[in-house]
Amino acid sequence: MAHKAGFVSIIGKPNVGKSTLMNALVGEKLSIITPKAQTTRHRILGIVNEEDFQIVFSDTPGIIKPLYGLQDSMMSAVSGALSDADLILFVTDIHEKHDENDVLEKITNTTIPLVVLLNKIDNATQEEVDEKFAYWQEKLNPKHIYAISALHQYNLDGILPMILENIPEHPAYYDKEELTDRSQRFFVSEIIREKIFFNYKKEIPYSTEVIVTSFKEEETKSGLMIRITSEIIVERDSQKNILIGTGGAMLKKVGMEARKDIEKFLDSKVFLETFVKVIPDWRSKKNYLKNFGYDS
């Protein structure tokens, strides 16, 4: 049988469940998930490999009107994901009040096949589902509409077969052992950032970036140990003080929670050191954005 391979881009507004969906489809936790909007900042690839196909999913930042350099870069990641897609999965929250104009601007005139996923239907009535179904059918005339719950993995079974129908015959783009295009360091920094989103309120999560400055494996008597040093970047001294907390308690909590998840992810013992550094207004400075991996 011929081998199929293709790129599938998952797009939508912030907080509609794109990362949850990709993790469910790939079967691995690759994207961080928090209750706050705009958690995903990069385009993250998740790769599903079988003998006769390879599906490369792109989880993308939620589509917004950018207000500063970091958000410009995030929207560039979305545009990149749309330009090379063989199929677009547009995820929309069943409770959205039809205000997805920022998203629609990007997909209304696309020639790429489009599928609408009505997410979070575990909290919806059948009437709500029917109403949204009719609305999107008329608005976008997509190839398919699915009513799903990514969180509860409800009604996802038909999505992979449908994707296979819509991607071309092509050799694999990535090694069949690969699950993602991102490095271990990247996922370590994302895990630390996830803990910041869970533990702090207001602007703190959005003003922080996490950089892994050292990642060293060493053999110990009890087996492999990975020593990791990371820097949490903030924009102001007041944010640094909040992050560290009284007597360093908050930073210690974030470090402990992150270390547990990193150990699970790397399947190894981890020694994690975390420092906080102030770089004023880094989200708007091109040189820092480039250094931190945001190329817009």
Side-chain angles (χ1 to χ4, degrees), residues 171-182:
Y173 289 96
Y174 293 89
D175 188 296
K176 284 291 186 107
E177 298 302 309
E178 297 288 324
L179 266 179
T180 179
D181 63 328
R182 295 284 181 174

Side-chain angles (χ1 to χ4, degrees), residues 242-259:
I242 294 168
L243 256 171
I244 292 170
T246 310
M250 281 301 287
L251 191 60
K252 196 171 174 185
K253 182 172 186 280
V254 165
M256 274 172 57
E257 290 175 7
R259 182 182 53 77

Side-chain angles (χ1 to χ4, degrees), residues 5-270:
F7 289 85
V8 178
S9 290
I10 302 171
I11 70 156
K13 281 179 62 169
N15 230 20
V16 292
K18 297 181 297 299
S19 297
T20 307
L21 175 72
M22 184 174 89
N23 291 345
L25 293 174
V26 175
E28 292 279 338
K29 186 176 173 188
L30 296 178
S31 289
I32 64 176
I33 300 162
T34 79
K36 296 183 174 72
Q38 287 177 53
T39 307
T40 302
R41 286 179 180 171
H42 296 267
R43 177 185 178 183
I44 299 169
L45 300 189
I47 305 167
V48 176
N49 292 300
E50 290 294 341
E51 198 178 328
D52 54 351
F53 70 81
Q54 181 177 77
I55 301 170
V56 185
F57 289 101
S58 287
D59 182 19
T60 60
I63 295 176
I64 49 171
K65 284 262 186 282
L67 299 175
Y68 44 81
L70 172 61
Q71 292 182 340
D72 280 331
S73 169
M74 286 158 65
M75 291 311 97
S76 293
V78 176
S79 300
L82 288 177
S83 66
D84 61 19
D86 295 296
L87 183 70
I88 296 169
L89 301 182
F90 167 42
V91 185
T92 173
D93 185 332
I94 192 79
H95 301 296
E96 282 293 345
K97 299 284 183 272
H98 304 321
D99 60 349
E100 280 107 334
N101 288 339
D102 294 346
V103 184
L104 295 179
E105 274 174 27
K106 290 191 179 286
I107 60 174
T108 302
N109 297 316
T110 184
T111 54
I112 300 163
L114 179 71
V115 174
V116 174
L117 303 178
L118 304 173
N119 194 22
K120 306 188 185 181
I121 64 158
D122 44 305
N123 296 319
T125 63
Q126 189 58 48
E127 281 118 331
E128 285 175 299
V129 173
D130 293 344
E131 184 223 319
K132 280 292 169 77
F133 215 99
Y135 173 82
W136 287 115
Q137 188 59 54
E138 188 190 344
K139 185 94 176 165
L140 289 174
N141 191 26
K143 275 189 97 83
H144 299 279
I145 301 178
Y146 289 84
I148 65 164
S149 168
L151 182 64
H152 299 290
Q153 302 205 5
Y154 171 75
N155 212 20
L156 302 183
D157 299 352
I159 293 179
L160 282 182
M162 176 276 296
I163 289 169
L164 286 174
E165 284 171 22
N166 286 284
I167 61 172
E169 289 184 7
H170 198 282
Y173 289 96
Y174 293 89
D175 188 296
K176 284 291 186 107
E177 298 302 309
E178 297 288 324
L179 266 179
T180 179
D181 63 328
R182 295 284 181 174
S183 67
Q184 288 181 324
R185 279 181 177 232
F186 172 81
F187 288 110
V188 166
S189 67
E190 287 288 273
I191 289 167
I192 298 168
R193 206 162 61 81
E194 179 182 67
K195 302 311 168 199
I196 293 167
F197 266 82
F198 274 117
N199 281 288
Y200 301 90
K201 294 184 176 65
K202 296 183 180 161
E203 91 276 14
I204 294 285
Y206 300 102
S207 304
T208 56
E209 182 58 55
V210 179
I211 308 297
V212 173
T213 53
S214 170
F215 187 105
K216 290 181 181 148
E217 295 183 0
E218 57 182 59
E219 282 298 336
T220 66
K221 281 179 186 166
S222 54
L224 183 71
M225 160 79 83
I226 301 176
R227 290 185 175 275
I228 298 170
T229 308
S230 69
E231 280 182 356
I232 300 173
I233 312 293
V234 291
E235 295 190 310
R236 295 196 297 278
D237 283 322
S238 58
Q239 293 166 344
K240 180 177 179 176
N241 296 336
I242 294 168
L243 256 171
I244 292 170
T246 310
M250 281 301 287
L251 191 60
K252 196 171 174 185
K253 182 172 186 280
V254 165
M256 274 172 57
E257 290 175 7
R259 182 182 53 77
K260 281 182 190 163
D261 278 14
I262 294 165
E263 286 185 335
K264 261 190 238 160
F265 185 79
L266 298 176
D267 196 19
S268 171
K269 278 267 171 246
V270 167

